[in-house]
Amino acid sequence: MSTQAAPDRTLFDDADELELRVPTSCRRSGRCRECIVEVAAGAEFLACRTEPELFLRDPYRLACQAAVVDPHARIDFSILRRRLRILVPDVDDEPEPADAVVRIIDGNVYHREQLVEPLRGGIYGVAVDLGTTTIVAELVDLAAGRTVAVGALENPQRFGGSDIMNRISYDGSDGTGQLRRAARRALNRKLDELYATSGIDRREVYEAVVVGNSTMRDLFFGLDVSPIGERPYKSLTEHELHSGTRETTSLKAHAYELAFRSHPHASIWGAPLIASHVGADMAADLVALGVDDETDETVMIVDIGTNTEVALAVPGRLAVASCPAGPAFEGGLVEYGMQGVDGAIESIRRENDGSFTCRTIGGMQPQGICGSGLIDLLAELRRSELMTPLGVFADGASLLTVDEEAGITFSRADGSALAQAKAANTAGQWIVMRHLGIDPADVERLYLVGGFANYVDVENAIDIGFLPPVPPERVVKVGNASVRGARRLLLSETARMWLEALVLRIQHIELETTPDFFDIFVEGCQFKPMPDQLRSADGQVVL
């Protein structure tokens, strides 16, 4: 991208003018370090690096900090883009029994009992998992009950912030619906690719199911998300459900209303929310894994992300909670932290000579450390007693070197950011288990959901208290369960009815209203295993 800037402007300002969306989560203060651009020409016309940029080498700058000193100069720059590793399900040719909403009757396409049109070829649907970081879509043959193609992409809404609260704030202050349009356009491009490679006309697509956390789902459907960002942190659909003006938090629209690339009159169904920030993604997880309050065993689900969601089912009860973990384990707030892209250190081991052996995604030169690598690093530092549970380095230093050649370091400030993110996860899991009277050893199956969770070393995560001390052989990594649940909801009206009834019975635990939440959070900031028992004999919380 080339620009000639006005005085007192930064590259970020000019990117805005050129409609080049640059990611940021810190309102252009330089703290989030997400708006990295590569300056191909004209670097001499930029002001000296500011303090937030000192971690970068040439030719990279932070767009929000790189002030243009000569408004008449030509500067060529581009967003630093890397290939994000996105976990997608394999195309499953095995047909699944279906009682889809859309069906063929006497050579015509029906949506339930309503005639749509004469059959023009096949009948297809799309299952969409709209995540904060990634979007995954499955193209499904509704008649055969099988997946035809799968596609994935990075969520382009990242320019509005890397976590939910930033996007809620951005959407409210922007007022033009940029986040909504960005997601819809990107998804439509991916759908066009799937249709082209599968030889399917988009007018053969008569249904879509969209799942995601409360904010992502509501943004996609064009709802005001500001209520989700303020107490009591509920979607407009929840408020309307509780006031009696609607019967469910699920959403319905026609494709033409959402500019969705399919048959114009295709039905777009947004799965119901559970409560507050526990959204339709966790609801879809429950569908995919077959977990409900009628279970005969103790099952826990941890869907890890910037907003981790926890569900715990015991016979007769099902409780959930959301944990605002933030982006520290997904590339934010840690100086050399980064997402799971090529060049990210994904695994770290400390050798006997004190050096670290690092494995990167794609086998490339290390550029930074992603979440699974950060968990490994913390566990190794604790195991070797190079760091105390409080995150203090044993020798009193403020910085240690992870990869000397690549210049990658880890600081006490990095550890502090990770401690708080870990504590949010710890507190959520701890409080939900304690609420249902369960100790970690009672959990018979622990499902880890999501792309990040799929690459985590379970024993290391347990050692630092990121996960409860459940026997590792009981831990099951299930990848993207949300899109699998969306696929099931697409193929089965029975599954939709089951879910609609279930979400009304689920108990939502508001962590911040728990009387001893602060004590548990502070304890969770330490890098040590969670207690094996969450209550003492007299019923008091174990700290």
Side-chain angles (χ1 to χ4, degrees):
M1 185 66 64
S2 298
T3 182
Q4 288 184 313
D8 302 321
R9 293 175 66 85
T10 65
L11 292 182
F12 208 127
D13 296 320
D14 291 294
D16 276 350
E17 292 290 334
L18 297 166
E19 296 188 353
L20 181 65
R21 299 302 174 200
V22 183
T24 181
S25 293
C26 65
R27 295 289 176 173
R28 310 186 185 189
S29 67
R31 292 195 303 273
C32 74
R33 297 171 174 173
E34 294 177 3
C35 62
I36 301 174
V37 294
E38 182 175 2
V39 181
E44 64 272 21
F45 302 115
L46 298 175
C48 295
R49 296 178 188 278
T50 62
E51 185 174 351
E53 294 182 279
L54 295 180
F55 76 103
L56 289 171
R57 304 173 181 82
D58 289 335
Y60 302 108
R61 299 291 302 267
L62 291 181
C64 72
Q65 300 294 301
V68 180
V69 297
D70 184 350
H72 303 293
R74 179 186 176 90
I75 302 171
D76 296 339
F77 68 97
S78 60
I79 300 174
L80 181 60
R81 296 189 184 275
R82 298 186 177 103
R83 184 172 58 86
L84 184 65
R85 179 171 61 183
I86 303 175
L87 192 64
V88 297
D90 294 329
V91 174
D92 187 3
D93 291 328
E94 191 68 28
E96 181 177 342
D99 59 320
V101 171
V102 176
R103 54 181 68 94
I104 302 171
I105 303 176
D106 296 330
N108 294 304
V109 179
Y110 279 81
H111 185 277
R112 292 193 173 91
E113 305 305 319
Q114 183 176 357
L115 174 65
V116 179
E117 64 180 6
L119 182 65
R120 63 174 63 242
I123 56 170
Y124 298 90
V126 179
V128 180
D129 174 28
L130 190 63
T132 310
T133 305
T134 61
I135 300 173
V136 179
E138 285 196 41
L139 179 60
V140 180
D141 185 328
L142 299 178
R146 63 180 183 84
T147 297
V148 176
V150 182
L153 66 150
E154 184 174 1
N155 190 331
Q157 295 174 335
R158 192 171 172 83
F159 66 81
S162 57
D163 61 33
I164 291 169
M165 299 308 289
N166 273 299
R167 293 200 194 163
I168 292 173
S169 177
Y170 185 96
D171 185 68
S173 62
D174 170 64
T176 63
Q178 292 184 48
L179 292 177
R180 178 180 69 253
R181 289 200 301 272
R184 289 179 181 176
R185 285 197 299 261
L187 176 58
N188 281 337
R189 286 194 295 270
K190 181 57 64 175
L191 291 178
D192 282 340
E193 292 177 17
L194 296 181
Y195 300 155
T197 57
S198 304
I200 292 170
D201 187 322
R202 71 182 181 94
R203 294 184 65 92
E204 297 176 71
V205 177
Y206 295 96
E207 178 105 46
V209 169
V210 177
V211 303
N213 64 54
S214 304
T215 302
M216 293 297 99
R217 190 205 69 161
D218 284 9
L219 274 174
F220 185 79
F221 278 86
L223 273 64
D224 177 13
V225 295
S226 59
I228 307 176
E230 55 193 34
R231 289 185 182 276
Y233 308 111
K234 295 185 182 298
S235 162
L236 281 176
T237 60
E238 283 188 87
H239 286 296
E240 293 170 358
L241 176 68
H242 295 153
S243 69
T245 57
R246 65 161 50 230
E247 297 180 352
T248 174
T249 57
S250 61
L251 292 169
K252 297 178 183 177
H254 286 110
Y256 69 84
E257 297 174 295
L258 304 183
F260 189 90
R261 293 283 290 174
S262 64
H263 191 288
H265 291 279
S267 173
I268 314 299
W269 190 71
L273 311 177
I274 296 178
S276 187
H277 290 290
V278 186
D281 49 353
M282 174 55 81
D285 291 343
L286 297 174
V287 173
L289 299 172
V291 175
D292 61 16
D293 53 357
E294 297 178 356
T295 179
D296 57 0
E297 58 183 346
T298 299
V299 180
M300 191 172 187
I301 302 173
V302 181
D303 194 333
I304 300 173
T306 56
N307 182 69
T308 294
E309 296 169 328
V310 179
L312 179 61
V314 299
R317 300 178 71 186
L318 175 57
V320 298
S322 62
C323 319
F329 281 97
E330 295 199 2
L333 307 178
V334 174
E335 182 163 2
Y336 286 97
M338 61 190 299
Q339 292 181 292
V341 300
D342 288 344
I345 296 174
E346 62 173 337
S347 175
I348 298 177
R349 294 292 179 268
R350 186 173 183 271
E351 305 298 342
N352 293 332
D353 63 1
S355 64
F356 293 102
T357 297
C358 303
R359 186 180 76 241
T360 65
I361 297 174
M364 299 174 61
Q365 177 72 15
Q367 302 293 319
I369 314 173
C370 66
S372 59
L374 289 168
I375 288 176
D376 284 353
L377 177 60
L378 292 167
E380 291 289 0
L381 294 178
R382 287 290 300 117
R383 195 173 292 125
S384 59
E385 298 185 347
L386 291 175
M387 186 179 73
T388 71
L390 294 173
V392 178
F393 295 153
D395 58 2
S398 60
L399 193 75
L400 63 84
T401 299
V402 177
D403 189 304
E404 185 172 4
E405 182 179 351
I408 296 172
T409 59
F410 184 78
S411 68
R412 281 198 61 185
D414 296 333
S416 178
L418 292 170
Q420 293 182 62
K422 185 198 79 74
N425 283 284
T426 299
Q429 297 169 58
W430 186 330
I431 290 172
V432 171
M433 284 188 287
R434 190 185 67 179
H435 183 82
L436 293 185
I438 295 299
D439 288 325
D442 299 323
V443 177
E444 296 170 78
R445 271 181 296 154
L446 171 57
Y447 289 116
L448 297 184
V449 177
F452 173 20
N454 195 67
Y455 301 101
V456 166
D457 183 300
V458 171
E459 293 189 13
N460 283 344
I462 291 173
D463 285 347
I464 65 170
F466 191 87
L467 294 174
V470 174
E473 64 272 13
R474 301 182 190 174
V475 179
V476 183
K477 296 178 180 179
V478 295
N480 191 328
S482 296
V483 76
R484 285 167 45 199
R487 176 180 183 269
R488 182 68 187 136
L489 292 166
L490 183 67
L491 286 170
S492 174
E493 187 167 17
T494 301
R496 295 189 197 187
M497 296 169 61
W498 176 87
L499 180 60
E500 291 276 23
L502 175 63
V503 295
L504 298 177
R505 305 195 303 267
I506 297 173
Q507 181 178 8
H508 174 236
I509 301 171
E510 297 182 12
L511 300 183
E512 64 275 10
T513 64
T514 303
D516 55 356
F517 171 75
F518 182 73
D519 293 333
I520 296 174
F521 182 87
V522 171
E523 178 71 7
C525 284
Q526 296 192 53
F527 297 112
K528 64 178 186 180
M530 288 188 216
D532 292 323
Q533 294 182 315
L534 303 184
R535 282 191 179 276
S536 59
D538 59 1
Q540 299 300 308
V541 64
V542 176
L543 290 177

